[in-house]
Every structure is written in structure tokens, then in C-alpha cells.
Amino acid sequence: MARLDEIIDTAVRLFAEQGYKATTIAQIEAAVGLRPGSGGLYRHVSSKQELLAVALERVLASRRAAQAAPPLAEPVDLAGAIEAAAHATLAYVDADRDLYRLILRGGDLPIDLAETYDRLFQPGFDEVGAWLGRLAGDRPGFDAAATAAVALSSLFYFAISEFTYGRPPGGISRDRFVAAWVAGLRAQLGES
């Protein structure tokens, strides 16, 4: 399994750097120490497309495992819980940076991007929206789903800006961004 993980990580990195179609099996074999063109990769997967599918399934399995944990409860320390949620979201993106870079390239992928969105992103928006709804209670005018969408989208963009442009939005450090993000979300929830 460790060898397959190495192959998947290398393939996704190459796909993200060069594009899916431009990356050859021989390039992947060379990058993982197999003799290029030997067919050694086929002992682990049947095709380049299967490599991509297995990479995506690996990420989805880790997300399902995280979602199988008990639902987020109302925290004793709201600011701490919100900050932990921000750092966890950024850590998810960091852990799978090459896959996100690849998905952002989009165009030449042999996958349905709408289905991928529904499986990879939407469950997180739903979970955070439900959590925020519980935290807000019956607060009139609070739209938990929209607040979750804005909050998570800003975190995703922050991480995407770091790995796409090599710098965070506005040149703001992660710590400053997260502090402002926490303050904004607390204000939305009516907390000071």
C-alpha cells in the first residue's frame, strides 16, 4: 500500500504541474523509480485514469472518516472552536494541495467536475452550515448555509492563493487571516 500511495502522490503532483493529458505513464514510472516504459506501474493500477480515480477516492475516504466522527457540538469556547475549524479546513487543503491544484486546472480531466464537487466539497458546506445553525439557534435572519458558504469559501481561497500565486491574499499571514476570520464569524453569530 505504501508503494501505491507513493505512486498516487507522484502522479497527482505531475498531473497538477503538467496537466493530466500531458503527463505520461513513462514519466510517472521514472518519477517513482521504475524503469520508464517497462509497464511496472501496471502492477499497481490499470491506467492513468484509475490513478486519478484512486487518488480522489483516497481523499474522499479521509473526508468520510472525519465526517463519521460525532457531529460538531456546541462548544464551551466558541472562539477556540471556530479557530480550530479554520485551521482544520486549511490543513485539509494543505494535505491534498496537488489534488486541489489539479482540480482547479479542470479542463483535461476525465472526471465529472460537478460530481466531484458534490462528493468533495458539498458535504463540508452542509456540515458546517448545520453546525452554525445549531450555534445560532433561533436567531432571526441568520442564514447558516450562506454563512458557511462564505466562511469556507474564504478559507479555500486563502489556501488556493498561497499555492497558486505563492502568496496569501493581501499579503496577510495565516495567523492574521484566521484571527480576522474568527472575529467575522463570531460577529455573524452575535458573539463578541
Side-chain angles (χ1 to χ4, degrees):
M1 192 58 157
R3 184 65 166 157
L4 179 58
D5 284 334
E6 178 188 3
I7 291 168
I8 292 167
D9 291 341
T10 300
V12 170
R13 179 182 52 78
L14 290 171
F15 295 158
E17 289 171 359
Q18 303 174 172
Y20 175 82
K21 287 183 181 174
T23 303
T24 66
I25 292 292
Q27 288 171 327
I28 297 167
E29 287 173 331
V32 297
L34 297 170
R35 198 173 89 241
S38 68
L41 188 89
Y42 296 115
R43 281 182 262 147
H44 302 279
V45 294
S46 64
S47 67
K48 193 165 71 166
Q49 188 167 351
E50 183 183 355
L51 264 175
L52 180 58
V54 170
L56 185 56
E57 282 306 316
R58 187 177 66 173
V59 171
L60 291 168
S62 74
R63 298 301 187 274
R64 283 191 297 271
Q67 290 166 351
L72 297 169
E74 185 167 336
V76 174
D77 173 19
L78 181 62
I82 292 171
E83 183 174 347
H87 286 296
T89 301
L90 291 169
Y92 277 134
V93 177
D94 288 344
D96 299 309
R97 175 178 292 201
D98 286 332
L99 183 66
Y100 288 109
R101 287 176 53 211
L102 175 61
I103 290 170
L104 287 170
R105 287 184 75 119
D108 69 348
L109 296 177
I111 59 174
D112 181 331
L113 290 176
E115 177 191 353
T116 300
Y117 175 90
D118 288 343
R119 295 175 66 206
L120 185 61
F121 295 104
Q122 192 60 48
F125 286 108
D126 294 342
E127 181 183 9
V128 171
W131 182 60
L132 292 174
R134 288 192 306 275
L135 291 176
D138 294 334
R139 193 160 154 244
F142 183 76
D143 185 341
T147 302
V150 169
L152 289 177
S153 294
S154 67
L155 288 171
F156 286 131
Y157 181 75
F158 184 88
I160 289 167
S161 180
E162 285 183 321
F163 66 71
T164 301
Y165 308 115
R167 59 184 55 101
I172 303 300
S173 71
R174 258 189 196 209
D175 290 340
R176 284 181 64 202
F177 181 86
V178 169
W181 188 88
V182 169
L185 196 49
R186 287 180 70 199
Q188 283 288 311
L189 290 167
E191 296 284 321
S192 53

